[in-house]
Amino acid sequence: MICRWFRKLFKKNKPRRVANYDNSLLWNQFELEVLDALNDYRVKHGQTLLVGSRDLQRMADRRADECKRDGKISHDGYNRVAQLLAPLGILGLRENLAYGYEYPEQVINAWSNSPDHNRAMLMHNSKYAGVGHTRNGKRSYICLLLAR
C-alpha cells in the first residue's frame, strides 16, 4: 500500500505500479515515473511488475552520471557494471540508455521502438530494476538496469 505522503510527491493521482517503495528515498520523481511507465508497459505485454533495487538504483545513477560526464551514451561500461553487481547475486543484467527526453513516457516509447531495448524491457524473468537520471543543462541522461 502506498503511503499518502508518498503519493503527494506526484502531481498525478493514479497509483504507482512500482512493486516496492522500501528504497524510495533514492529515487527522484522522474526515475519513479520511468519505472512506473515501464511497469505499465510490461503489464500491457503480459509481464510481471518490477521491484526497485537499491543496488541497481545506485549503479544506474552512476551510469547516468558517467554518460553526463562523457557527454554521450555508451554501453562501454556495461561489463564493469555486471562484474560489480554479480557478487551481490544480481544476474541477467540488461542496460538501456537514453538521452534528451523530457518525459518518462517518451523514454519508454523510444526504447519500445528499438528491438534490443524492447527485448530488455520485456525480459520475462526480470524481477528488479534501477533507473538513473541526471541533467546537463537541457539534456537528460537516463539509465535503466534490469536483472533477475
Side-chain angles (χ1 to χ4, degrees):
M1 194 113 193
I2 300 169
C3 297
R4 252 182 287 163
W5 65 267
F6 193 75
R7 202 176 287 167
K8 288 180 185 178
L9 291 175
F10 301 95
K11 294 184 175 28
K12 297 178 183 177
N13 289 326
K14 76 176 197 167
R16 313 310 314 162
R17 281 210 179 264
V18 180
N20 182 347
Y21 286 109
D22 289 345
N23 56 19
S24 61
L25 296 177
L26 295 173
W27 302 68
N28 67 39
Q29 182 173 345
F30 188 91
E31 293 164 349
L32 282 169
E33 289 180 8
V34 167
L35 191 52
D36 186 42
L38 174 58
N39 273 331
D40 284 343
Y41 184 74
R42 285 177 58 83
V43 167
K44 181 179 167 185
H45 289 87
Q47 300 300 324
T48 58
L49 295 177
L50 298 169
V51 175
S53 160
R54 181 180 306 263
D55 295 320
L56 288 176
Q57 179 61 26
R58 287 181 176 152
M59 192 57 71
D61 277 338
R62 274 191 194 171
R63 290 289 291 135
D65 286 338
E66 288 172 5
C67 292
K68 174 184 162 182
R69 182 194 67 223
D70 297 342
K72 63 178 182 169
I73 59 172
S74 170
H75 293 287
D76 290 344
Y78 172 79
N79 288 334
R80 179 182 50 80
V81 170
Q83 288 173 350
L84 289 170
L85 292 172
L88 301 174
I90 297 173
L91 305 171
L93 187 68
R94 300 290 182 268
E95 175 184 72
N96 283 1
L97 298 172
Y99 72 96
Y101 296 98
E102 292 300 313
Y103 302 101
E105 294 79 14
Q106 293 174 318
V107 177
I108 300 303
N109 186 51
W111 284 333
S112 70
N113 289 319
S114 163
D116 289 338
H117 292 101
N118 192 54
R119 193 174 309 116
M121 288 194 304
L122 296 176
M123 189 168 59
H124 75 278
N125 58 355
S126 290
K127 293 181 184 173
Y128 306 104
V131 180
H133 172 254
T134 190
R135 298 187 69 78
N136 185 3
K138 293 182 179 181
R139 180 169 276 181
S140 266
Y141 293 89
I142 303 109
C143 175
L144 169 67
L145 294 177
L146 302 139
R148 46 187 159 98

